[in-house]
Amino acid sequence: MKDMIKQYGNYFQLDTSNTTYSFRVTQTKHLEHLYYGEKIKIDSEDEADFLYEKHEFAAGNTVLYNNDNVNLTLEDERLEFSSYGKGDIREPFVIVTGEDGLFTSDFLFKEAKITKGKEKFKTLPGSYDMAEGVDHLEVILLDDNAKIELQLHYFVYEDTDVITRSAKIVNRNEDKSICVERLMSTQLDLDADDYVLTTFNGAWAREMEKHEFKVTAGKHVNSSYTGTSSSRANPFIMLSKENTTEDFGEVYAFNLIYSGNHYEAVECASNHKLRVVTGINPTNFMFKIAAGEAFEAPEAVMTYSAKGFNEMSHNMHEFVREHITRGKYKYANRPILINSWEASYFDFNESKLLKLAKAAKDVGIELFVLDDGWFGKRDNDKCSLGDWFENTQKLPNGLEGLANKINALGLDFGLWVEPEMVNVDSELYRMHPEWCVSHPDKPHSEGRNQRILDLSNDEVVSYIIEAMTKVFSSANIKYVKWDMNRIFSDYYSNALAQRGVFAQKELSHRYVMGLYKIMEELTRRFPDILFEGCSAGGNRFDLGILSYFPQIWASDDTDAIYRVGAQNNYSYGYPQSCYTAHVSACPNHQTLRETPLDTRFNVAAFASFGYECNLCDMSKEELDEIKEQIEIYKKYRQVFLYGDFYRYDRKNTDNLYQWIVVSKDKTTAIGMILQKLVNANTTFNMFKLKGLENDRKYLFTNRVIKQNIKNFGDLINTQSPIHIKNKSFLQHLVSKFVSMPGETEVYLSSGSAFMKGGVKLTQAYGATGYNDKVRYFQDFSSKMYFIEEKIIEEN
Ligand code: DGJ
């Protein structure tokens, strides 16, 4: 077994397959960060000398650490962690206040332990290691005056080039309590070197917009204060060089295994040093720790690649698949589902649902999901959250009766729940108004007509576990969509009120810990249920949720043209098996946009896949096409879900998207190209394949799609013997029997040729001559390509 962590005297080095991370204990017993980047070879403490920063004097109006070290000002050091009060005035890692109100800390190195294996955190989810045990470095630091211990934990996931970090504060006082006001999860001090920070921000139905900021001076903060990881600012961030592309250049990436308020700050300090910290958002956060007790910060995930964003993403993807997602569905075929939400919203009854299920079965769908509206008196979003019993007017045979009928059709049954919430108009609220996050005597700001249950209260946690156990056991339920549709306001816990005025500042973190207790217990009790996270779409898309639920509904916007960008951006930090995508109706319910059915499929297929539309209203042609889509997805499902996903550079355009996903054994790949808006006479496109084996032979083919003559409007008259008016009944009639041929692409060559030369696709329609060699590639068009290894027998 290889040892990935080495200690040479005061020098510590953590190696993954392609990266090295190192720091040392200084004479003053601080931790100086030395290096994080491409793998380097250092075999002794002396060989690392050159990495140490040389400090001969403290410049200008900086503050000396102490009078014995007149050359040391902590503001100028690159540190593994930092605190306020001893000269470093940059973004701190830790702030702890004692009973005397002092918040200056001075944590100094005490000891380090290198071990194998990873224990579970007590209060939070974390990455988990493989059979042989992950390499673990624990560094213990002590603030002797305050009697507080700070533990830094490093875990080295060699194969995925990922290092995770977490921190823990232990109150070593015998009788005094302390208050943690901030405890970050990681800190990385680099030399400022023209870095670009990328964050993924958005809103409801507009998740994961990619934003880039040149980090030259000052501080940039990416954070959430919604009580969730949020659609406003995903906790995944990247720091790259300006010239980094999808396949070349340096990039660091960070994520956090946490589902609550998070904080990522990148500060470019005056001394040309750049600091990254990530962790729990310190805004309105405080946690009291009694004597002898401890506080755990969430685990931060870091990776580095010298080969561009794609390789960085592959590191993150493999790490998430191998060390975050767990349980039966980790690598399983996720079922193709039909979800009832956009098909009927709240307006359904058993017979309507069964018709939809029957139509779904006919096209090859595997799982029927009953979304919101099945419980209490829920005919709209104003009531009944908390009343988790069937609405017998809609479902006279209950969930069990419905599930049995759906099973009899040959489909599995799945259900939507929103357990963390309560409507004021509900039996639960009438019984327990004190169970929600709100002040009893102050007006409350409602969101979607609902309130949040107080998961810092153990009684509420137990209630949810038992209520959901009852629901999940009430029928043959194979899948659960766990929704959470509002953000926090009026932070106030009636349960915490007894613990003094500052206890309310613990609420947001205690809520998240309560949520994890519930998820842990329910996934333990129901290991065969496939759970899908959801929070008004992607309002809680993070590694904390993925530690329990292997997939998350990525956005309430199902429009393929929005989704192509969102899924492209999710893919920077998350593997495609983790985000779910559905083919929905057109005009799309969120944008009213019309996109071709094949484009809706071509985008949704690169994810955990399903449908969310009223199949009963669809034409035979559409249903036939859906049948074919489902056959394709079933044939290539493992590759779509778990293959290596590559993006293509889009620096100069937002118009064109290309993806390719390649099976682990490199025998199969599927490519996709999508154009948002057409420009006349831009007719040439090339598809440079990625990820294939150089010397193997591959057959490249396309999905041939015949085009409806309606797409050509009155241009059809250039071919037609009779005049056909656009949008006329005659056009409609002719379109039933005549269609335009789709282009065919068939090429056989080696992986290296396809990857270096690129496939010159057939010319796209450009205002002239359409025939079976011309690619129909108009607004919102897309194409799917199949690349399969061809074993050529040698004579
Ligand atoms: C928000 C979800 O994101 C939707 O998919 C749907 O489940 C609704 N909630 C139901 O209220």
Side-chain angles (χ1 to χ4, degrees):
M1 218 185 332
K2 280 186 279 175
D3 292 322
M4 306 317 291
I5 302 175
K6 295 184 191 81
Q7 177 178 3
Y8 302 122
N10 287 315
Y11 176 77
F12 291 86
Q13 177 161 318
L14 287 59
D15 287 316
T16 66
S17 302
N18 300 295
T19 69
T20 295
Y21 182 106
S22 69
F23 63 89
R24 68 158 179 150
V25 182
T26 65
Q27 259 182 349
T28 52
K29 300 206 176 307
H30 293 99
L31 300 187
E32 178 186 357
H33 177 76
L34 297 174
Y35 177 80
Y36 187 26
E38 247 183 302
K39 194 162 190 168
I40 54 175
K41 183 167 159 49
I42 286 183
D43 295 319
S44 68
E45 192 175 9
D46 289 349
E47 280 184 32
D49 253 5
F50 76 101
L51 285 171
Y52 308 167
E53 221 161 37
K54 318 296 178 291
H55 292 274
E56 292 305 321
F57 55 89
N61 67 345
T62 56
V63 169
L64 289 185
Y65 168 60
N66 63 21
N67 289 343
D68 299 336
N69 295 277
V70 289
N71 59 346
L72 176 63
T73 167
L74 290 175
E75 187 183 349
D76 274 347
E77 281 272 9
R78 297 187 305 171
L79 298 165
E80 277 298 290
F81 73 92
S82 61
S83 55
Y84 271 150
K86 298 304 259 177
D88 189 359
I89 39 78
R90 294 168 293 172
E91 190 67 30
F93 182 85
V94 53
I95 303 178
V96 189
T97 311
E99 282 183 357
D100 56 1
L102 182 73
F103 59 90
T104 293
S105 302
D106 190 18
F107 292 102
L108 298 179
F109 179 81
K110 190 173 150 214
E111 59 178 317
K113 298 176 201 160
I114 299 173
T115 52
K116 285 222 186 261
K118 186 167 190 283
E119 274 178 27
K120 276 174 103 174
F121 293 118
K122 301 246 168 347
T123 55
L124 295 167
S127 62
Y128 62 98
D129 57 349
M130 41 289 184
E132 65 272 25
V134 65
D135 290 73
H136 174 201
L137 168 64
E138 177 182 357
V139 183
I140 298 176
L141 303 117
L142 189 67
D143 182 330
D144 211 13
N145 289 321
K147 299 279 173 283
I148 304 172
E149 180 177 304
L150 171 67
Q151 298 177 3
L152 301 181
H153 295 269
Y154 299 77
F155 300 95
V156 182
Y157 289 100
E158 178 196 357
D159 293 343
T160 60
D161 283 330
V162 161
I163 293 173
T164 69
R165 276 185 65 171
S166 70
K168 191 169 170 179
I169 288 280
V170 188
N171 182 356
R172 295 284 178 210
N173 283 284
E174 273 171 18
D175 47 7
K176 287 190 202 126
S177 59
I178 55 170
C179 243
V180 178
E181 291 187 46
R182 164 192 285 242
L183 180 61
M184 291 288 119
S185 298
T186 193
Q187 171 174 322
L188 182 64
D189 278 7
L190 301 167
D191 293 313
D193 198 2
D194 290 336
Y195 283 106
V196 175
L197 167 70
T198 305
T199 62
F200 296 90
N201 308 87
W204 172 75
R206 200 157 41 72
E207 291 85 348
M208 294 301 276
E209 292 169 346
K210 184 167 170 249
H211 295 277
E212 292 180 350
F213 308 88
K214 247 177 115 165
V215 188
T216 48
K219 192 186 295 180
H220 189 101
V221 172
N222 181 65
S223 68
S224 77
Y225 190 60
T226 53
T228 58
S229 45
S230 98
S231 49
R232 280 69 166 174
N234 195 275
F236 173 75
I237 60 166
M238 311 191 289
L239 199 62
S240 58
K241 292 290 175 62
E242 254 189 289
N243 58 2
T244 300
T245 66
E246 290 294 354
D247 299 311
F248 300 97
E250 289 189 86
V251 50
Y252 298 91
F254 306 83
N255 210 340
L256 198 63
I257 308 180
Y258 192 60
S259 309
N261 294 335
H262 61 90
Y263 182 84
E264 295 77 37
V266 177
E267 180 176 14
C268 197
S270 52
N271 52 17
H272 209 62
K273 289 194 168 72
L274 185 140
R275 170 166 295 171
V276 182
V277 296
T278 78
I280 295 178
N281 191 343
T283 306
N284 272 328
F285 164 85
M286 207 182 252
F287 219 91
K288 193 167 166 186
I289 312 179
E293 291 188 356
F295 178 84
E296 292 175 320
E299 192 174 354
V301 179
M302 309 187 290
T303 191
Y304 166 86
S305 164
K307 293 192 186 141
F309 296 114
N310 272 322
E311 187 182 86
M312 175 283 299
S313 294
H314 292 166
N315 297 346
M316 282 295 189
H317 290 190
E318 199 59 16
F319 173 77
V320 173
R321 281 190 295 250
E322 279 291 296
H323 305 295
I324 294 290
T325 53
R326 52 204 93 188
K328 180 172 168 180
Y329 292 94
K330 182 170 163 150
Y331 287 113
N333 275 345
R334 311 281 169 85
I336 301 172
L337 61 81
I338 175 88
N339 179 298
S340 68
W341 183 240
E342 288 196 17
S344 54
Y345 297 101
F346 294 106
D347 179 21
F348 59 80
N349 55 33
E350 190 188 84
S351 101
K352 229 172 160 180
L353 296 176
L354 288 172
K355 273 191 201 131
L356 181 62
K358 165 89 179 52
K361 177 65 191 170
D362 288 347
V363 290
I365 285 172
E366 299 159 326
L367 168 74
F368 181 90
V369 178
L370 174 54
D371 209 281
D372 197 352
W374 59 267
F375 51 93
K377 296 180 285 155
R378 186 125 167 128
D379 290 328
N380 53 48
D381 62 15
K382 292 192 173 56
C383 71
S384 298
L385 287 172
D387 298 345
W388 299 110
F389 43 83
E390 298 98 333
N391 176 327
T392 42
Q393 276 187 335
K394 290 182 186 176
L395 305 177
N397 302 302
L399 283 178
E400 192 178 17
L402 175 68
N404 288 345
K405 289 182 187 173
I406 300 248
N407 289 165
L409 288 172
L411 290 167
D412 281 336
F413 178 68
L415 193 66
W416 176 97
V417 288
E418 193 176 0
E420 299 159 66
M421 297 289 157
V422 63
N423 287 113
V424 168
D425 183 4
S426 69
E427 290 183 20
L428 180 67
Y429 184 84
R430 284 185 278 275
M431 249 166 8
H432 286 294
E434 78 287 5
W435 273 8
C436 60
V437 175
S438 64
H439 194 286
D441 310 319
K442 302 267 162 61
H444 183 82
S445 301
E446 306 272 342
R448 209 196 187 202
N449 311 301
Q450 63 196 53
R451 297 191 183 182
I452 299 175
L453 287 172
D454 176 8
L455 306 193
S456 75
N457 180 345
D458 282 343
E459 226 189 320
V460 179
V461 166
S462 307
Y463 152 78
I464 293 180
I465 292 173
E466 295 316 322
M468 287 305 115
T469 298
K470 206 163 155 208
V471 173
F472 302 160
S473 322
S474 69
N476 186 13
I477 294 172
K478 288 279 165 56
Y479 158 105
V480 164
K481 177 175 171 191
W482 184 291
D483 207 345
M484 195 277 194
N485 276 303
R486 65 158 290 182
I487 61 169
F488 276 68
S489 67
D490 308 273
Y491 281 87
Y492 190 84
S493 155
N494 293 289
L496 290 175
Q498 303 133 20
R499 300 199 194 191
V501 276
F502 291 117
Q504 297 301 339
K505 298 197 183 242
E506 299 184 2
L507 172 58
S508 53
H509 183 60
R510 285 191 181 276
Y511 180 91
V512 179
M513 293 194 295
L515 173 68
Y516 291 146
K517 266 193 220 158
I518 296 171
M519 293 165 88
E520 172 101 31
E521 183 55 22
L522 287 173
T523 48
R524 193 191 63 76
R525 288 189 189 180
F526 297 95
D528 293 333
I529 289 183
L530 168 62
F531 284 91
E532 176 165 328
C534 173
S535 179
N539 192 50
R540 200 165 58 185
F541 198 111
D542 59 69
L543 299 181
I545 298 295
L546 289 170
S547 299
Y548 301 100
F549 300 168
Q551 57 188 50
I552 302 175
W553 180 228
S555 173
D556 273 359
D557 189 344
T558 54
D559 178 320
I561 300 307
Y562 156 72
R563 272 300 189 115
V564 73
Q567 288 173 216
N568 195 75
N569 294 345
Y570 272 118
S571 81
Y572 280 95
Y574 304 93
Q576 62 277 17
S577 55
C578 292
Y579 40 89
T580 53
H582 298 167
V583 170
S584 62
C586 270
N588 174 271
H589 291 195
Q590 292 74 43
T591 60
L592 297 182
R593 191 177 359 237
E594 289 274 2
T595 43
L597 186 51
D598 60 325
T599 288
R600 284 176 262 158
F601 168 70
N602 290 350
V603 174
F606 287 78
S608 278
F609 173 66
Y611 290 80
E612 188 164 337
C613 48
N614 191 351
L615 296 170
C616 303
D617 284 353
M618 286 193 161
S619 67
K620 180 173 177 316
E621 290 76 25
E622 286 174 310
L623 292 172
D624 285 346
E625 184 174 341
I626 288 178
K627 242 186 228 168
E628 193 204 320
Q629 294 175 349
I630 288 173
E631 274 164 28
I632 292 173
Y633 192 79
K634 284 182 178 165
K635 178 167 177 202
Y636 295 105
R637 175 158 31 194
Q638 278 288 319
V639 189
F640 278 127
L641 285 171
Y642 302 112
D644 288 333
F645 184 92
Y646 294 83
R647 294 169 304 267
Y648 287 70
D649 284 314
R650 302 174 33 258
K651 285 218 157 163
N652 303 320
T653 169
D654 182 44
N655 206 31
L656 201 74
Y657 282 82
Q658 273 174 272
W659 295 335
I660 188 167
V661 65
V662 185
S663 67
K664 288 279 171 208
D665 62 6
K666 294 181 181 292
T667 58
T668 311
I670 304 133
M672 200 279 290
I673 178 169
L674 179 146
Q675 170 165 270
K676 287 192 175 172
L677 295 179
V678 67
N679 266 324
N681 196 14
T682 51
T683 59
F684 299 104
N685 290 104
M686 192 209 349
F687 207 117
K688 255 191 179 180
L689 305 189
K690 299 189 187 193
L692 304 180
E693 203 60 64
N694 276 334
D695 297 334
R696 295 195 204 161
K697 293 273 190 276
Y698 294 92
L699 183 67
F700 179 104
T701 56
N702 67 327
R703 186 170 165 228
V704 181
I705 303 258
K706 290 199 179 124
Q707 295 302 329
N708 192 313
I709 60 156
K710 289 180 186 170
N711 294 341
F712 296 84
D714 62 4
L715 267 180
I716 207 75
N717 291 311
T718 58
Q719 310 282 317
S720 166
I722 49 162
H723 187 76
I724 303 177
K725 208 168 138 193
N726 192 25
K727 300 203 161 84
S728 62
F729 176 70
L730 180 61
Q731 186 197 46
H732 182 66
L733 197 67
V734 175
S735 75
K736 295 257 168 237
F737 303 100
V738 184
S739 55
M740 304 296 270
E743 84 285 5
T744 311
E745 316 249 20
V746 183
Y747 313 104
L748 177 71
S749 195
S750 69
S752 65
F754 277 139
M755 291 192 291
K756 299 209 160 34
V759 176
K760 312 294 186 296
L761 300 173
T762 53
Q763 194 174 6
Y765 176 81
T768 183
Y770 185 86
N771 63 30
D772 62 355
K773 298 199 179 49
V774 171
R775 191 159 39 103
Y776 179 84
F777 204 53
Q778 308 315 120
D779 287 356
F780 316 136
S781 286
S782 65
K783 300 283 167 181
M784 189 177 267
Y785 301 106
F786 306 103
I787 302 103
E788 312 248 18
E789 186 183 0
K790 199 92 199 142
I791 310 284
I792 312 245
E793 302 286 334
E794 297 203 2
N795 293 327

